[in-house]
Amino acid sequence: MPTMIGPSFPAVLEAAQRGDERAFAVLWRDLQPAVLRYLNVAAPEAAEDLAADTWVSIIRGLARFRGDEPGFRALVFTAARHRALDWRRQSSRRQAEVVPIEDLLDRPAPDDPAEAVLEAQSTRAALALIAELPRNQAEVVTLRMVAGLDVAQVARIVGKRPGAVRTLTHRGLRRLAQRLAAVEPTRRVTP
């Protein structure tokens, strides 16, 4: 018999339905291992992705759920099963293409490991440069350029006015451009 949350389930569920991330984490930690085991049997090639899709669907419908812990568990596994069935249907519709082996020799892999390594190194190098900025500039540049947030969002997060965020971003990017120009003097870098 699987482990269950037990008597605290109604309170945990109610908190999760109100948006409490910790309460949702309790539900997820309780059921995720079993969901993943189920999907490893039902659709082993896509178990991780299907588990993620299952939890997304649970999050979307969580506020509407009414019932006890066994009912919730049934809901989660029903969702997992539907994801597995949908995946199998889609997989069966995909036509396998017969390609002569000679044609595969010169084709790059879709997930080029060398490119992934270079990108990871570049990302680490860029983040290291950003980390050398003054703390407030580094934070704002990271939120704007790495996280992709707009000025208003960053201003709310860091508790500064939008004009201050724009100024910090500009100064940080200008300083980064100067550092990059010093490292690669023949390359023109503009903030």
Side-chain angles (χ1 to χ4, degrees), residues 3-10 30-31 65 67-74:
T3 62
M4 296 182 88
I5 296 170
S8 64
F9 177 79
D30 180 56
L31 286 167
F65 176 76
D68 57 5
E69 187 170 4
F72 182 73
R73 295 176 78 80

Side-chain angles (χ1 to χ4, degrees), residues 2 8 10-11 15 41 50 62 69 77 82-83 88 94 100 121 137 140 144 155 157 170 174-175 178 181 186:
S8 64
V41 171
L50 295 174
L62 189 60
E69 187 170 4
F77 283 96
H82 286 247
R83 298 301 161 282
R88 276 195 228 130
R94 292 184 202 121
Q121 286 176 336
Q137 289 178 7
V140 169
R144 289 279 293 126
I157 290 169
H170 177 75
R174 189 175 60 214
R175 187 173 283 183
Q178 290 167 347
T186 59

Side-chain angles (χ1 to χ4, degrees), residues 81-134:
R81 181 176 181 276
H82 286 247
R83 298 301 161 282
L85 291 173
D86 290 345
W87 180 82
R88 276 195 228 130
R89 274 193 287 273
Q90 289 173 353
S91 294
S92 69
R93 289 184 198 137
R94 292 184 202 121
Q95 296 295 320
E97 181 182 333
V98 178
V99 178
I101 190 114
E102 301 81 32
D103 291 350
L104 297 175
L105 297 177
D106 294 327
R107 294 180 78 178
D111 58 337
D112 184 9
E115 184 179 323
V117 168
L118 290 174
E119 185 176 329
Q121 286 176 336
S122 297
T123 300
R124 280 194 298 275
L127 292 174
L129 274 176
I130 292 170
E132 292 175 6
L133 293 172

Side-chain angles (χ1 to χ4, degrees), residues 32-48 50-51 84:
Q32 174 64 2
V35 168
L36 204 47
R37 285 191 298 269
Y38 167 76
L39 290 169
N40 273 317
V41 171
E45 302 87 356
E48 295 272 351
L50 295 174

